[in-house]
Amino acid sequence: MTPASELRSGKTDRDENFPVASWIIHKRHRALILAFYNFVRTADDIADHPLLDASTKLTMLDELETGLLGEHDEQAEANTLREAFAERGMPPRHALDLLTAFRMDVTKLRYADWDELIHYCSFSAMPVGRFMLEVHGEDKATWPASDAICAALQINNHLQDCAKDYRELDRVYLPQDIMQRHGVSVEALDKPKSSPELLACLRDLVARNEALLHEGDSLTVHMADTRFACNIAVIEKFAWEISKLLRVRDPLSEKVHLSKGSMAGYALAAMAGCLWRRATTSAPISRPAAGK
């Protein structure tokens, strides 16, 4: 077997648009979260690899799955995550859902409508939030709000990288019916600058995405773990700031990413706001599961 680690893009947790196993989260959770991240990042890099054909990608993703399920010890990232799950007594279901999404990335290049895109997010994004909630022992009642936030994060990423995804992978996450409604073809994504019609399409999707962020707005006041609530608040703040950029910038010709300096400032403001909101909002807090 080819070691999956040899196919990594070089991207690490420090390069993401959101904090991964940051100091905000209690240190007892960080090793498991990093093991999960490295497994998922490896699978994601395989699905996006520019030099592998579809068959090879699917074979490699299958090898990660069978390694995670203990059928062999050939893939280091799978071994590490399997052992980390075993230590916590956690099932691998969320990681397996993400592998389903990466297989979709290999085989599905277009999305007919918003519902199809959300279905994809139910495998590509929502399992990440559910995994994190499970790690922290949060009640399953928090899942719907988390699902909305995670889907919004995923779609923000699709909007930021819409040109790159099309040019490098012939992959278009913008729903076809919404593109057609605005008179936009996929070829518009290959232009050096967005047309007015494409910008209108993108901002239509931004508005839909902001509705998802509003759906998840109550999550941080319903969580039992204050540190994790602060971490989620930071992620939400980053998502909102990226959304603001997408409303005024053209992702085909302009940078639509947060600078490291601005992220630090937003993080501090988000944590302070979260603590204040939890202290002043009368809301039921979820109870952690036994032993968490």
Side-chain angles (χ1 to χ4, degrees), residues 117-139:
L117 184 59
I118 294 299
H119 175 71
Y120 168 74
C121 290
S122 73
F123 291 100
S124 69
M126 298 177 191
V128 177
R130 293 180 178 191
F131 161 75
M132 291 292 291
L133 291 167
E134 192 169 330
V135 167
H136 286 82
E138 299 289 345
D139 195 287

Side-chain angles (χ1 to χ4, degrees), residues 237-265:
K237 178 64 173 175
F238 290 172
W240 275 109
E241 294 302 323
I242 290 170
S243 189
K244 289 178 186 177
L245 292 179
L246 286 165
R247 282 191 169 277
V248 297
R249 294 186 185 176
D250 175 8
L252 270 61
S253 61
E254 298 176 274
K255 181 179 178 181
V256 192
H257 290 81
L258 303 178
S259 68
K260 295 295 183 183
S262 67
M263 289 172 76

